Amino acid sequence: MAPDTSRKNILDNENLVENAGRVFIEPGKPWGRGLVQDFKSTVGTHWWSEMTNFNQKTVAVSALMFITVIAPTLTFGAVYGRNTENHIGAVETILSTCWVGVFMSFFSGMPTVVIGSTGPVLIMSTVIYEMTKNMDIPFLPFYAWVSIWTFGYTTITAFFDLTRYVRFATRFTDDIFALLIVSIFILNAIGSPFGAGGLLRYLDPDNEFHDENAFLGDDYSKHETALLAIILGLGTTSTIFFLRGFKTSGFCCNQDVRNSVHDFAVTLSVVIWAIIGRVGFPDIEIPGLNVPDKFEPTYACCDSSCSTFWPDQCEDQSEPWGTRPWFAEMGNLNGKSYAPFLAAGPAVLSFILFYLDNGITWHLIYDPANGLQHGESYNWDLFLNGLSNMINGLLGLPWLVATTVPCIVHLNNLAEKDKDGKVITVQETRLTYFFSHMLVGLSLLFLNAIKQIPLPVLLGVFLFMGLSSMPGIQFWQRFLMFFMQPSKFPEKPFTKYISPMRIHMYTVFQIVFFLGVFFVQNTPSIAIVFPFMTLLCIPARLFLAPRFFYRWELCLLDGYEEEVEEWVQAKERAERDDISEVLAMEEGGDVDLGDNDKENEDKAEVDA
């Protein structure tokens, strides 16, 4: 049945639930009260149960998360090396990801959230590096001072419970941010027009990998490499989806076996296609992971001053003098004694980045619809994130924040869902976080084995991560409705009560802001303001959206499940009351229904 779009019905809907569609946050708990409460309600209450719930799923998800984390860790490490001239590289990225992950698995209040390197943080670090070059200040000491200031800002924010303002972000902002990150994963796996990587990029004759193997002459075929890379990537993705489908199929002898195939689908697929690539086609060159040869700082020095790096700035030397020290020399500022105070400025941008990157991901993962029961700890986790990133700064390691897509993958694989995809329960554990990031550190001991995994296989895993995350984003579901017959729309409260035209208007409104954030994120010259563009989505929803949409429409399209359910129940009660009233009047037999309807319409116009 089509939604009732009459003026009277719209006015009735608007008054069904007081404050429907409005966004409120709880009163603050400043002076450390929120910080202490976060710790007590999460770590202090659930730590032991989360550290002892070991089972088969723990092993499977740990293996999945290791694969999910290690590939972007190495990729970001290589990019850091290029952008900072090896002051930060793959070894530093591995070490940072390992120790911070293990640390957070023990002490964070939200262990379902996974930390890692992200593009915005990489851009921020690159900007700081370029700034130090222009000011003739050594990078690592200045980076360390920025880290100290940033920790100060995060501590003040957590102490005064200012993280609560992240809760002004609704599904509107969450979905834009989630779809943005998911689209980045998918585009980078297939071949982004804004980057050099991806499966389809191997079809480009000028691809960097083809240039590196040009010395092989006729023994190297660009077409064979490109075709095999695409087959390995898409084959890995297809196999993962196929094996995960076993859980609800009738194959295998019992449900335990089907569950095992589902849980280990990613690991099995990576092993299968790595063997196919390396054993089945040994004569075809396949891109591999850029793995460091040994564990030491990436920056190799030309001489004892360590102010120039080998081999780029001393090509006549056959060997480097040594490597940089692990700890930043805080006083080595090239005579710029004002540098520690100057660092407070860039630290403001870094803090905003940490606040938004973490906050929006926390808000997305701990949406009540995801069924997580062990509570939230925004203040406590922001404090820990600032502390760990300060230590990283002192050691010359990259900053880490919550990573959206790995977090979604972590949550989805710890959850049990019904046939409609609704979360039933979630195994809230610290063990998968601990094991996966410990394995990242231990990977330094078996680098040769990791090198055997073809890069296209891991790109196939990235593609799976992106594609498997999209169905859970309502924004994407509504986008697909543009191409659907209205009578075939999925059965949701908003499709039942809101007209298709109004649903499409809201989706277009959201697309405008998505494209704005997407454009800024993919334009290098202005990418540093990406967090601010994301931040603008919050006031757009709070102040701009109510000018175009009724509050009850915003409740159904943008509210939490309990808010939507409250409105739907009120609507159903009102409909039952209307039916009862009509039946009573019909039984009385002395009321002219037509006149009564006319009176109601006149009243609605007067009320309007």
Side-chain angles (χ1 to χ4, degrees):
M1 183 177 67
D4 185 354
T5 58
S6 67
R7 184 176 181 79
K8 177 182 182 300
N9 183 67
I10 290 173
L11 292 173
D12 288 344
N13 288 344
E14 193 75 348
N15 299 318
L16 277 175
V17 177
E18 186 180 5
N19 294 321
R22 293 196 173 110
V23 183
F24 300 94
I25 59 174
E26 297 178 357
K29 301 180 180 67
W31 305 105
R33 289 185 291 122
L35 197 62
V36 173
Q37 181 176 315
D38 282 356
F39 179 84
K40 287 183 176 179
S41 63
T42 55
V43 182
T45 303
H46 302 288
W47 190 88
W48 182 251
S49 64
E50 291 170 346
M51 288 297 292
T52 55
N53 53 354
F54 182 87
N55 54 28
Q56 174 183 293
K57 184 182 285 291
T58 306
V59 178
V61 176
S62 296
L64 166 63
M65 293 311 299
F66 166 68
I67 295 170
T68 301
V69 170
I70 188 64
T73 296
L74 293 171
T75 302
F76 272 106
V79 179
Y80 267 111
R82 288 197 301 269
N83 291 5
T84 66
E85 296 181 314
N86 285 338
H87 283 86
I88 298 175
V91 170
E92 287 82 2
T93 310
I94 291 173
L95 179 59
S96 176
T97 304
C98 171
W99 93 259
V100 176
V102 171
F103 172 75
M104 295 295 280
S105 72
F106 277 106
F107 299 109
S108 83
M110 299 183 287
T112 307
V113 173
V114 178
I115 55 87
S117 299
T118 65
V121 174
L122 168 64
I123 293 170
M124 183 70 221
S125 302
T126 304
V127 169
I128 293 174
Y129 179 73
E130 294 298 330
M131 182 189 303
T132 58
K133 284 181 65 177
N134 293 333
M135 296 188 301
D136 195 24
I137 299 174
F139 168 64
L140 291 178
F142 188 79
Y143 180 69
W145 281 111
V146 173
S147 303
I148 292 172
W149 278 103
T150 306
F151 172 58
Y153 297 149
T154 57
T155 302
I156 292 171
T157 302
F159 187 74
F160 287 101
D161 192 21
L162 300 180
T163 60
R164 71 184 188 277
Y165 292 110
V166 174
R167 301 176 196 277
F168 277 126
T170 62
R171 183 191 293 271
F172 177 83
T173 304
D174 292 345
D175 279 5
I176 288 175
F177 188 74
L179 188 60
L180 175 75
I181 303 301
V182 166
S183 65
I184 291 172
F185 265 70
I186 293 174
L187 287 175
N188 287 343
I190 296 176
S192 172
F194 308 102
L199 294 172
L200 298 183
R201 287 289 182 179
Y202 294 111
L203 295 172
D204 181 3
D206 298 325
N207 183 275
E208 183 180 354
F209 184 75
H210 298 327
D211 294 338
E212 292 173 356
N213 289 275
F215 70 93
L216 295 174
D218 294 337
D219 293 332
Y220 178 75
S221 170
K222 298 177 181 179
H223 299 96
E224 289 179 353
T225 295
L227 180 60
L228 181 57
I230 293 172
I231 291 173
L232 293 177
L234 299 182
T236 301
T237 304
S238 303
T239 304
I240 294 173
F241 278 112
F242 173 73
L243 294 178
R244 288 176 67 84
F246 269 68
K247 187 172 185 176
T248 54
S249 73
F251 293 103
C252 301
C253 55
N254 57 52
Q255 190 61 44
D256 289 339
V257 175
R258 290 191 287 271
N259 288 342
S260 298
V261 174
H262 170 275
D263 291 343
F264 289 94
V266 175
T267 307
L268 289 172
S269 300
V270 169
V271 172
I272 290 170
W273 286 96
I275 292 174
I276 290 174
R278 295 300 184 188
V279 178
F281 301 91
D283 297 329
I284 299 178
E285 294 294 328
I286 310 172
L289 288 174
N290 185 13
V291 179
D293 295 323
K294 52 186 176 179
F295 180 69
E296 64 180 11
T298 307
Y299 191 90
C301 309
C302 290
D303 52 43
S304 58
S305 67
C306 219
S307 58
T308 53
F309 67 95
W310 180 89
D312 294 37
Q313 295 180 332
C314 47
E315 297 178 355
D316 55 326
Q317 288 185 216
S318 59
E319 296 290 336
W321 174 86
T323 60
R324 71 165 178 90
W326 277 111
F327 286 92
E329 301 176 74
M330 305 291 291
N332 180 21
L333 298 169
N334 199 22
K336 310 292 196 304
S337 57
Y338 57 84
F341 304 99
L342 182 66
V348 173
L349 295 177
S350 302
F351 158 71
I352 294 173
L353 194 59
F354 294 177
Y355 184 88
L356 290 176
D357 257 16
N358 285 315
I360 293 177
T361 302
W362 294 337
H363 193 262
L364 181 69
I365 297 301
Y366 279 79
D367 185 313
N370 291 332
L372 294 165
Q373 302 296 321
H374 289 186
E376 304 167 342
S377 59
Y378 285 23
N379 294 305
W380 175 245
D381 278 31
L382 183 64
F383 169 75
L384 292 183
N385 186 248
L387 175 63
S388 60
N389 281 331
M390 182 186 70
I391 296 172
N392 281 347
L394 295 174
L395 293 172
L397 307 180
W399 295 326
L400 306 178
V401 294
T403 53
T404 304
V405 172
C407 288
I408 295 174
V409 171
H410 195 207
L411 172 65
N412 287 341
N413 284 275
L414 288 173
E416 291 293 335
K417 300 183 179 181
D418 61 19
K419 58 183 179 62
D420 297 321
K422 186 175 181 179
V423 175
I424 302 172
T425 60
V426 179
Q427 179 183 332
E428 297 186 58
T429 180
R430 297 175 180 272
L431 297 176
T432 51
Y433 201 170
F434 170 76
F435 288 137
S436 60
H437 284 73
M438 179 59 74
L439 284 173
V440 170
L442 293 175
S443 66
L444 292 168
L445 302 177
F446 47 90
L447 294 174
N448 288 332
I450 293 179
K451 289 180 181 179
Q452 299 306 312
I453 302 176
L455 179 58
V457 170
L458 293 181
L459 292 177
V461 176
F462 285 0
L463 183 58
F464 157 74
M465 289 165 57
L467 294 177
S468 63
S469 300
M470 293 187 77
I473 302 174
Q474 190 205 85
F475 180 21
W476 174 249
Q477 296 172 359
R478 283 187 279 103
F479 175 76
L480 295 179
M481 290 181 190
F482 280 117
F483 314 100
M484 296 172 63
Q485 181 181 334
S487 62
K488 299 297 182 181
F489 281 0
E491 294 183 6
K492 304 282 185 180
F494 66 85
T495 58
K496 181 177 180 180
Y497 296 106
I498 304 177
S499 68
M501 180 61 69
R502 299 289 290 176
I503 294 173
H504 293 332
M505 282 180 60
Y506 182 79
T507 305
V508 169
F509 181 74
Q510 204 167 10
I511 288 173
V512 169
F513 285 88
F514 171 81
L515 292 177
V517 177
F518 186 85
F519 173 77
V520 170
Q521 198 271 337
N522 287 287
T523 306
S525 59
I526 57 174
I528 188 64
V529 300
F530 160 72
F532 298 98
M533 283 298 298
T534 307
L535 183 64
L536 284 177
C537 295
I538 297 177
R541 163 59 183 88
L542 295 178
F543 305 111
L544 191 59
R547 294 179 176 272
F548 300 100
F549 305 97
Y550 294 103
R551 288 189 292 105
W552 67 273
E553 292 176 322
L554 292 174
C555 174
L556 295 181
L557 288 163
D558 195 42
Y560 287 124
E561 277 194 358
E562 60 267 25
E563 297 170 338
V564 174
E565 186 63 29
E566 180 186 6
W567 189 92
V568 170
Q569 290 176 358
K571 179 65 175 177
E572 291 174 346
R573 282 196 303 269
E575 289 175 341
R576 287 195 299 268
D577 291 343
D578 288 345
I579 292 173
S580 299
E581 184 179 343
V582 171
L583 291 176
M585 289 189 294
E586 288 178 344
E587 290 176 359
D590 57 349
V591 177
D592 187 352
L593 296 178
D595 290 341
N596 189 64
D597 286 344
K598 182 69 168 62
E599 291 174 8
N600 286 339
E601 290 178 5
D602 293 341
K603 183 179 183 299
E605 292 179 359
V606 171
D607 291 342

